[in-house]
Amino acid sequence: NILANTEKIGKRSLFLCYPDEDVMEDSEGVEAAESMGASCLEHFTGDTVIHVGEVYGDTPSMDQAPWGRSSGPQFQQRLAAEYHCILKAKLTNWLHVMDTISVWKRSELCSIVFAGDEEDDNDSDEEVEYRHIPKDETLPTDVAAPCAKHLL
């Protein structure tokens, strides 16, 4: 496996363009084939992923292809869980697709310790992990279609 040699690729970016074009879900929502994109993420040790294609929610038809037609659910769920999007730009598309190029940065894993109640012997400290996204790496949440822009 070319991605197993982490010494050589540790500081590089992973570029995926339509990695799972042929991976579709069956009627129970299970992927019909293994996701190449998810396999790449599993072995990738770098911090930056560049993805070209559709992502969940940015598709013309949520009932026909909620995850888009370019990368499978397994890949997209792992990408969103371990990385945060720092750039997304629309590409020129055919009428039936809504492809974008997006850049994702690995989110830093941090811990918060909640102190237990000193009066209760059974209440110990609790450590919770979360993924920290710096404020300057957070995409804006205020978006509107041109016809509704005046409402922002």
Side-chain angles (χ1 to χ4, degrees):
N1 185 340
I2 195 165
L3 295 174
N5 190 350
T6 58
E7 288 181 24
K8 290 185 178 180
I9 65 166
K11 300 286 185 191
R12 296 190 182 178
S13 298
L14 176 63
F15 176 77
L16 296 169
C17 181
Y18 272 68
D20 302 323
E21 185 174 15
D22 295 327
V23 174
M24 293 294 173
E25 291 182 334
D26 64 16
S27 60
E28 282 93 42
V30 178
E31 289 181 27
E34 185 177 345
S35 166
M36 184 188 83
S39 181
C40 288
L41 279 184
E42 180 180 339
H43 297 286
F44 183 60
T45 59
D47 291 329
T48 305
V49 175
I50 303 163
H51 175 265
V52 173
E54 294 176 326
V55 292
Y56 183 80
D58 289 343
T59 64
S61 176
M62 287 295 287
D63 59 331
Q64 291 180 2
W67 298 96
R69 302 181 195 286
S70 55
S71 53
Q74 185 183 10
F75 163 77
Q76 290 188 45
Q77 289 169 348
R78 186 166 189 158
L79 182 68
E82 297 177 14
Y83 296 79
H84 57 278
C85 186
I86 60 172
L87 181 142
K88 186 162 79 169
K90 182 180 177 185
L91 298 174
T92 303
N93 290 296
W94 296 102
L95 294 175
H96 66 288
V97 295
M98 296 178 67
D99 292 332
T100 61
I101 183 167
S102 54
V103 179
W104 299 74
K105 185 174 178 185
R106 188 182 298 273
S107 301
E108 181 182 352
L109 194 57
C110 300
S111 297
I112 296 177
V113 177
F114 295 98
D117 188 1
E118 291 179 14
E119 296 175 12
D120 186 358
D121 293 335
N122 295 332
D123 198 12
S124 60
D125 292 351
E126 180 184 7
E127 184 174 358
V128 177
E129 290 186 333
Y130 72 99
R131 297 213 177 259
H132 173 69
I133 302 171
K135 191 173 185 172
D136 67 334
E137 294 179 7
T138 304
L139 292 177
T141 54
D142 295 336
V143 294
C147 64
K149 195 167 186 143
H150 66 284
L151 298 173
L152 290 179

